Amino acid sequence: MNTPPSPSGAEHTDGSSIRLGALVPLTRPGWVEAGRHLLAGLDLGVREVNEAGGIDGRPLELVVRDTAADPERAAAAVDELAHLGVAAVAGEYHSVVARAAAARADALGVPFLCSSAVLDALTEEPTEWVARLAPAQSYGWRIYADFLLRAGRRRIAVATQPSVYWASGTRVLRDHLASCGGTVLELDATLTPEALCDALVDHGAAALLLLVGHPEPAVPIVRAVRGDRRLAEILVGAPAGQPEFAGWAAALGEDGAGIPFLRYLPERLGPLGERVGKELRERLGEAPSFVAFEGWDTVAVLAALLRSHGTDRAAIAESWPRVAVEGTRGPIQFSRTPDISVWQWAWTPIQVVDRDPAEPDRFRILHAG
């Protein structure tokens, strides 16, 4: 696993720096765009800590490992980072990968702050070693289901691929919609786009949700549905957030607009969020996604713990419930949440948004949770 050079200004090899491990998908089949945004946020956070004097005069050093969406690779990276003496591990976007990293961190006694993954069962058993910033899938996806119900969409089809993450999301949607008279039909994403369109017509579906990877098979499915006159009234949705990134708009153009998805931002950023957002935009050369803000917030939390408790791993893990940090999207504190096995920020702001069909680079807030 190669470590890309970190521009955070902390390339120390004499033991004076405090090392933080960072797990990020930077190569395919990982979602590279999400990884790039997450790393930009992590790295900006580290640079700002160092510019402010570091942690008691010691700079932070971000030791980056590319997970490439591979759970085994992530687990091996946690092993390596623990051996390198990191105070904590942070990051990861893909839920199944984060689950493998969390299990390994728990086994080794290394604090892991998960930035972006939402799978409820991040660990099999409750653990003191893992905390999470992103909302649990059961919480965020219920908000998405409420949006569908408010929009009058009760006959829902999901195009899905085999994955613990997609299966969990389908279950959340089915249970919540069923309580309000809704139904969920699962369609195998290996169907040809044409066959999938036929199934949507036969079912009389009011919405199709894309519980699939991007760009394949999401892009060809969207093109087929948008091009089928029989499905002119169907709502296409993507709760996992595929349309958040510029690559979506580049691949689909106008066809990628009007597809509601979840993102974890407040309606308006405060002064801190505005400042960090401006810095992230300059680094990325484009508007920062919520994933970039998650990266910055991750470092803010870990820096606060390091200032208060030093680099002792056990002391860091014991302090999740006592940390209180002003993040880019609001005050961050962790608590025990029913049916969630890790320390959880409950909850980050959640929106259902889409790209405006009249101006696809602009996002419209459709619903807030």
Side-chain angles (χ1 to χ4, degrees), residues 125-137:
E125 300 293 335
T127 175
E128 301 298 318
W129 292 99
V130 182
R132 172 167 56 192
L133 287 174
Q137 189 178 28

Side-chain angles (χ1 to χ4, degrees), residues 5-369:
S6 170
S8 58
E11 312 301 335
H12 293 261
T13 57
D14 60 1
S16 65
S17 61
I18 298 173
R19 290 179 161 185
L20 292 179
L23 304 177
V24 189
L26 295 174
T27 55
R28 294 194 57 78
W31 198 339
V32 176
E33 253 188 308
R36 178 170 161 262
H37 279 237
L38 179 55
L39 183 56
L42 290 166
D43 196 77
L44 176 62
V46 167
R47 177 173 287 280
E48 292 188 352
V49 169
N50 289 340
E51 288 175 348
I55 307 296
D56 295 329
R58 299 174 65 188
L60 289 181
E61 179 185 355
L62 201 61
V63 185
V64 181
R65 292 296 180 265
D66 173 19
T67 64
D70 184 335
E72 292 184 6
R73 187 164 168 167
V78 174
D79 278 338
E80 182 194 1
L81 292 166
H83 180 72
L84 289 173
V86 299
V89 175
E92 194 44 46
Y93 178 80
H94 298 284
S95 280
V96 176
V97 180
R99 186 173 64 161
R104 196 67 193 133
D106 180 46
L108 294 173
V110 178
F112 174 40
L113 178 52
C114 180
S115 305
S116 299
V118 300
L119 192 67
D120 280 43
L122 204 56
T123 57
E124 292 296 327
E125 300 293 335
T127 175
E128 301 298 318
W129 292 99
V130 182
R132 172 167 56 192
L133 287 174
Q137 189 178 28
S138 60
Y139 180 76
W141 286 43
R142 281 199 300 266
I143 289 171
Y144 195 92
D146 286 336
F147 158 73
L148 293 173
L149 292 167
R150 286 185 56 182
R153 312 279 177 163
R154 282 178 164 74
R155 292 179 66 83
I156 310 301
V158 297
T160 187
Q161 295 173 299
S163 162
V164 171
Y165 173 64
W166 298 128
S168 171
T170 300
R171 186 166 55 251
V172 172
L173 292 167
R174 176 178 283 116
D175 290 349
H176 196 68
L177 289 165
S179 67
C180 300
T183 60
V184 173
L185 170 72
E186 290 186 57
L187 299 175
D188 190 332
T190 61
L191 288 171
T192 66
E194 294 75 19
L196 192 143
C197 288
D198 289 340
L200 293 173
V201 173
D202 292 343
H203 180 63
L208 168 67
L209 305 186
L210 304 169
L211 308 193
V212 296
H214 168 70
E216 299 288 337
V219 168
I221 290 173
V222 172
R223 285 181 179 146
V225 172
R226 294 297 202 208
D228 193 321
R229 293 182 179 179
R230 299 173 300 171
L231 299 171
E233 300 302 317
I234 198 168
L235 180 145
V236 180
Q242 296 93 324
E244 168 79 5
F245 297 96
W248 175 272
L252 282 163
E254 293 180 358
D255 283 346
I259 297 180
F261 64 94
L262 286 167
R263 71 173 179 178
Y264 310 131
L265 289 173
E267 185 173 353
R268 287 184 177 82
L269 292 167
L272 175 60
E274 289 283 358
R275 181 188 67 74
V276 171
K278 182 179 178 181
E279 293 283 344
L280 289 169
R281 179 184 285 271
E282 291 179 3
R283 283 176 166 248
L284 291 163
E286 62 188 20
S289 69
F290 68 85
V291 181
F293 289 100
E294 288 175 328
W296 193 95
D297 287 344
T298 297
V299 174
V301 169
L302 291 175
L305 288 170
L306 291 165
R307 289 189 187 102
S308 300
H309 304 287
T311 59
D312 182 78
R313 291 171 176 172
I316 292 170
E318 289 169 1
S319 300
W320 297 124
R322 292 190 289 277
V323 70
V325 173
E326 185 62 31
T328 58
R329 298 162 298 153
I332 299 171
Q333 292 182 287
F334 298 100
S335 60
R336 285 299 191 189
T337 304
D339 301 320
I340 306 299
S341 59
V342 302
W343 289 101
Q344 176 72 52
W345 178 19
W347 301 98
T348 175
I350 296 180
Q351 304 168 347
V352 179
V353 305
D354 70 359
R355 290 180 175 271
D356 188 343
E359 191 180 340
D361 286 338
R362 189 178 78 86
F363 294 107
R364 304 183 299 183
I365 299 175
L366 308 175
H367 182 70

